[in-house]
Amino acid sequence: MAMVKAHVSTSELVAGRYRLVDVVHRETNRVGYYGEDLETERACLLTQIGLPDDQGPDDARRATSRILRTSERIGLLRPGRVATVLDAVEEAGSLWIVTEWIDGTPLGALLAQQGTFNYVRAARIGLELLDVLEAAHVAGITHGELSPGQVFVGADGSVVVTGFGLAGATLAPRVAAPSYASPEQARDERIGPASDLWALGAILYTMVEGRPPYRERDRPETTLKGVDRLPLRAPVRAGPLTQAVQGLLRKDSRERLSRPVVREALDRVINDAPETAAQAMHRPRLRGRYAVGPTWGRRAMVIGTALAVVTVAAAVLVVTNGSQDDSDSAATGAAPTPSASAGAPTGQSPTAAPSTSPTQEETGTESGAGSKSPSTSPSGTALPDGFSTYTSPDGFSIALPEGWEPVATSRASDVAYRVFFGAEGDDRRLAITYSEALGPDPVAVWRDDVQPDLEERSGFQRIGDIEATTYQGYRAADMEWVSDKDGTRSRTFGRGFLIDDHRGYSLRWTTPEEDWDDAANRKALDTFLRTFRVPGD
């Protein structure tokens, strides 16, 4: 595949009439220039796209014809909101799209200058983009190339979109902006409106987080592989936009949010948070290093203890890591956070909670200096033989088998932690996680954030459906799965539950699969669920 030249001399003319003056923005295989039309003496925007090496003259003519035709159709539907294409020509292995000059700045350039936007500003831009996409989709047109380089923002906040008609005209849909391509585009499959909604979600994510959901790698193919296969790193600065962003970035196109749902979510952010806009403008930007670890959705960004709120959100993410590697999380210092999912009644399998990703300095391993009382559970009921109540320094309590104690604890500041319990010579494990940055839908957290991360593990297979339930009066969800570790097939039951709008716990119980139904293991799980108490209960 041919790539565009690293630069084009501004003394060159395109098609003998368009003078290139300055570069406006760059993306993979695409460069935008401020230019002059020598015939009309007007400013224009020229976009250069590299064409495949084997593209013939007929292919180039079809591409230019398609771009002109599509641009004219969408321009009639949303005049002033879509760039008017004046010309499209093939020259020296490149496709050149000439549009009227746009009185605005590419969104990508704005983000490069400003770092991040507050979520109200992001929602306003997102709503304008949604208006344009809705008009196109109703007319049967998919953009297929949407990225920050194709969105121009005026001084008044108005938005103009370029790039309609490129999808399918060249190979560009897979390489022009790989970190904004949908998973189906990454697999080179047929695309439709759902791909544009993914791109909208990716743009919203970038505006609030300061980086795309999937980072640009050294080769477009590597970036696309990451989009297709890697779990999403859950946003930590999106505030009330979080659910909309995660709903748009679901890997399965059939599960992405619909346009009406997205519109309602964006409207709500704009209308319900007028005061937050000013406050958000003064929030510290995410700077410094990124701490990577297991997360609810994938990996959490933790910038330091000073940014406690950011750390909390990061913590939520860690819990996505799979059950079989709870011990690995401890070893690597990845702090867990409770899952938004919550528990099922006794007798159902419990589900794991989210975990947190702390910086290395914030993560510590300790032997657990809690206390034990031997005879009764926190509720005052008698315990099974061989169990005694453990009270954590963090305030929760639970009945544990004799000889069991905390073997490791991982933390992210004071807002998320995971404690691992076990005994020497016992290959079973219990993990308890707490987090202060959980989403409101436990099932969605397991499905969209936890499971994609678990799927990267050897032999992962979910057992049954994710079950919405209640646990001790709290909203909860359960997920059960099997996986391989060090030659052993393990089975895990996780239960996560919310104790208020954003805080919660999870319990995760793992045994060798072949021992799962042993009476002693069933008794242990039942006892854990029956005796666990949050602080204050």
Side-chain angles (χ1 to χ4, degrees), residues 242-468:
T242 299
Q243 298 303 312
V245 170
Q246 291 180 321
L248 287 167
L249 294 177
R250 290 173 178 162
K251 299 270 190 188
D252 189 335
S253 62
R254 297 166 298 182
E255 295 183 356
R256 285 175 208 148
L257 298 184
S258 63
R259 292 192 307 268
V261 173
V262 176
R263 179 177 298 280
E264 180 182 356
L266 297 178
D267 278 333
R268 188 163 54 246
V269 170
I270 294 169
N271 296 328
D272 292 355
E275 297 178 3
T276 19
Q279 297 169 0
M281 291 290 287
H282 302 291
R283 287 181 185 163
R285 293 181 184 172
L286 296 179
R287 299 198 183 279
R289 66 180 175 277
Y290 296 97
V292 177
T295 67
W296 252 112
R298 177 55 177 168
R299 296 190 167 110
M301 294 175 51
V302 181
I303 306 306
T305 54
L307 295 180
V309 175
V310 175
T311 306
V312 175
V316 179
L317 307 180
V318 180
V319 184
T320 47
N321 268 351
S323 67
Q324 89 229 40
D325 279 341
D326 284 341
S327 57
D328 290 349
S329 295
T332 58
T337 62
S339 157
S341 16
T346 302
Q348 292 183 1
S349 316
T351 293
S355 62
T356 334
S357 177
T359 61
Q360 189 173 8
E361 291 84 348
E362 293 170 328
T363 303
T365 301
E366 55 194 37
S367 59
S371 62
K372 285 191 176 182
S373 78
S375 56
T376 60
S377 74
S379 62
T381 58
L383 295 176
D385 290 341
F387 283 78
S388 59
T389 297
Y390 167 84
T391 301
S392 166
D394 295 295
F396 70 81
S397 59
I398 191 169
L400 298 174
E402 290 295 342
W404 276 48
E405 60 184 11
V407 294
T409 300
S410 296
R411 296 184 181 278
S413 188
D414 295 325
V415 299
Y417 61 80
R418 176 180 286 168
V419 184
F420 303 88
F421 296 92
E424 187 175 356
D426 194 330
D427 49 10
R428 304 173 301 170
R429 282 291 182 270
L430 173 68
I432 295 177
T433 301
Y434 169 77
S435 174
E436 295 184 359
L438 299 176
D441 181 356
V443 172
V445 171
W446 284 111
R447 182 189 64 222
D448 301 336
D449 296 330
V450 180
Q451 181 167 323
D453 191 60
L454 294 173
E455 286 172 344
E456 290 194 337
R457 300 171 180 233
S458 174
F460 168 79
Q461 183 178 359
R462 196 179 78 198
I463 300 173
D465 295 329
I466 300 170
E467 300 283 350

Side-chain angles (χ1 to χ4, degrees), residues 27-28 107-108 111-112 115-116 146-149 177-181 198-217 223 226-227 230-236 245 249 286 290 298-299 301:
E27 291 177 323
T28 303
L107 179 57
L111 289 168
T116 59
L146 197 62
S147 70
S179 53
Y180 295 89
W198 170 282
L200 173 61
I203 290 172
L204 287 168
Y205 186 108
T206 302
M207 286 192 284
V208 295
E209 298 297 306
R211 70 180 191 280
Y214 295 90
R215 68 181 179 86
E216 201 79 43
R217 298 174 185 268
T223 304
V227 170
L230 294 179
L232 175 70
R233 289 186 292 181
V236 296
V245 170
L249 294 177
L286 296 179
Y290 296 97
R298 177 55 177 168
R299 296 190 167 110
M301 294 175 51

Side-chain angles (χ1 to χ4, degrees), residues 115-274:
T116 59
F117 294 169
N118 68 75
Y119 53 73
V120 177
R121 185 182 183 190
R124 293 185 192 280
I125 292 174
L127 193 58
E128 292 227 0
L129 282 174
L130 186 64
D131 284 339
V132 175
L133 292 177
E134 186 169 41
H137 296 169
V138 169
I141 299 171
T142 296
H143 188 291
E145 281 283 309
L146 197 62
S147 70
Q150 300 299 300
V151 179
F152 285 69
V153 182
D156 60 353
S158 61
V159 165
V160 177
V161 181
T162 67
F164 276 101
L166 288 177
T170 70
L171 291 186
R174 296 199 71 235
V175 298
S179 53
Y180 295 89
S182 65
E184 55 269 27
Q185 283 175 287
R187 295 188 295 269
D188 203 17
E189 297 174 353
R190 183 182 181 88
I191 64 171
S195 294
D196 287 345
L197 294 177
W198 170 282
L200 173 61
I203 290 172
L204 287 168
Y205 186 108
T206 302
M207 286 192 284
V208 295
E209 298 297 306
R211 70 180 191 280
Y214 295 90
R215 68 181 179 86
E216 201 79 43
R217 298 174 185 268
D218 55 345
R219 298 172 61 238
E221 293 78 8
T222 307
T223 304
L224 291 169
K225 185 179 293 184
V227 170
D228 182 30
R229 300 181 183 179
L230 294 179
L232 175 70
R233 289 186 292 181
V236 296
R237 302 186 74 251
L241 273 178
T242 299
Q243 298 303 312
V245 170
Q246 291 180 321
L248 287 167
L249 294 177
R250 290 173 178 162
K251 299 270 190 188
D252 189 335
S253 62
R254 297 166 298 182
E255 295 183 356
R256 285 175 208 148
L257 298 184
S258 63
R259 292 192 307 268
V261 173
V262 176
R263 179 177 298 280
E264 180 182 356
L266 297 178
D267 278 333
R268 188 163 54 246
V269 170
I270 294 169
N271 296 328
D272 292 355

Side-chain angles (χ1 to χ4, degrees), residues 1-2 51-60 171:
M1 176 189 313
L51 293 174
D53 294 332
D54 58 353
Q55 180 134 334
D58 291 341
D59 296 323
L171 291 186

Side-chain angles (χ1 to χ4, degrees), residues 14-54:
V14 175
R17 62 180 286 187
Y18 305 109
R19 185 185 305 281
L20 305 176
V21 178
D22 196 11
V23 173
V24 176
H25 66 90
R26 292 180 183 272
E27 291 177 323
T28 303
N29 202 41
R30 182 162 56 199
V31 182
Y33 296 87
Y34 171 77
E36 296 176 347
D37 183 344
L38 299 185
E39 291 188 7
T40 64
E41 298 184 347
R42 292 182 178 177
C44 58
L45 174 69
L46 292 96
T47 302
Q48 180 190 20
I49 303 166
L51 293 174
D53 294 332
D54 58 353

